[in-house]
Amino acid sequence: MTSTTTVDHQRTDGSTLRLTFAEPDRALRGGLVVLHEGHGVTDGVLLLVKSLAGEGWLTVTPHIESGEQLTQRDLLEATDRTLEWLTDRGVEADLRGVVGFDLGGTAALVVASHRKFGAAVSVGGQAVAELPKLLEIAGRVTSPWLGMYGDAGDEVGEAEVEQLREAAASAKVATNVVRYPGANHRFDADPSAAAEAWQRTLDWFDAHLR
């Protein structure tokens, strides 16, 4: 499996943003931004970055202040700087996607409702006081969005997933909301659901980033 590299990317205002990325060892298909979980860039995040790079995507995760301190402004600013980094490496706008799980799943939906990507994927979600609620923004996504949720977690139950599906259906782009009965918001207790969610993620990017 490919390795990761961490760099401090210089911002236009002179500040820096730490990025961790992995490059594919074959023809570049496009670029993906991974928005990390609440505990930061963990081993699980690094595995996701490397796994997506193994599928042909230049994959990068920005190191963002997380937890209850994460604000929409900080999230969008970090995402914009990461997109600039991808642009500098020749990744065109329609070949860029965003994906996140847990807190990153919520962040991916927020970003997909404010920025234009070729595709966006959320795996699970975590409520954060400073970020909009999922139901408030699902109908405003401007990027084709796939949301996958286990209904056994505290954040998103069965009723909430169905409401989220209904809200997303009003968006002007393609959306799909999938519920995994009995799975938690991290999918770590249900290997079959995790495997299916992974394949759905790859298929979504395959379908929309071209």
Side-chain angles (χ1 to χ4, degrees):
M1 183 176 290
T2 184
S3 60
T4 59
T5 302
T6 299
V7 297
D8 289 323
H9 177 57
Q10 191 79 19
R11 297 180 178 181
T12 54
D13 63 1
S15 61
T16 60
L17 174 66
R18 179 153 292 185
L19 302 173
T20 295
F21 67 93
E23 299 179 279
D25 56 7
R26 52 191 170 111
L28 181 65
R29 303 176 61 191
L32 299 178
V33 178
V34 173
L35 298 175
H36 60 69
E37 58 180 312
H39 298 296
V41 181
T42 62
D43 289 343
V45 174
L46 295 177
L47 177 60
L48 178 60
V49 168
K50 291 186 285 188
S51 297
L52 289 168
E55 297 292 331
W57 308 101
L58 174 57
T59 310
V60 54
T61 183
H63 295 241
I64 310 174
E65 286 291 331
S66 56
E68 289 299 316
Q69 292 74 40
L70 179 63
T71 67
Q72 180 172 289
R73 178 178 178 179
D74 289 341
L75 171 61
L76 294 176
E77 181 179 289
T79 302
D80 288 343
R81 301 292 81 77
T82 307
L83 292 176
E84 289 177 2
W85 185 88
L86 285 173
T87 299
D88 290 344
R89 279 147 188 81
V91 180
E92 299 179 3
D94 59 347
L95 295 178
R96 300 187 306 213
V98 60
V99 57
F101 64 94
D102 198 11
L103 172 60
T106 298
L109 178 54
V110 172
V111 168
S113 68
H114 287 82
R115 299 291 185 266
K116 181 64 177 175
F117 285 86
V121 176
S122 297
V123 184
Q126 177 181 332
V128 178
E130 298 297 327
L131 294 182
K133 297 186 186 316
L134 301 183
L135 285 175
E136 295 175 356
I137 56 176
R140 304 202 303 264
V141 291
T142 57
S143 306
W145 175 66
L146 168 65
M148 295 175 287
Y149 298 91
D151 61 14
D154 295 330
E155 291 81 10
V156 183
E158 179 178 350
E160 287 79 7
V161 176
E162 297 306 321
Q163 292 169 357
L164 190 59
R165 179 183 291 115
E166 182 177 346
S170 66
K172 297 180 180 180
V173 294
T175 63
N176 187 20
V177 176
V178 182
R179 179 171 64 89
Y180 290 89
N184 64 20
H185 66 288
R186 292 181 58 85
F187 288 76
D188 53 10
D190 190 336
S192 62
E196 183 178 317
W198 170 249
Q199 189 59 53
R200 282 183 182 270
T201 298
L202 298 181
D203 292 344
W204 192 257
F205 287 136
D206 287 344
H208 295 283
L209 300 184
R210 56 177 59 193

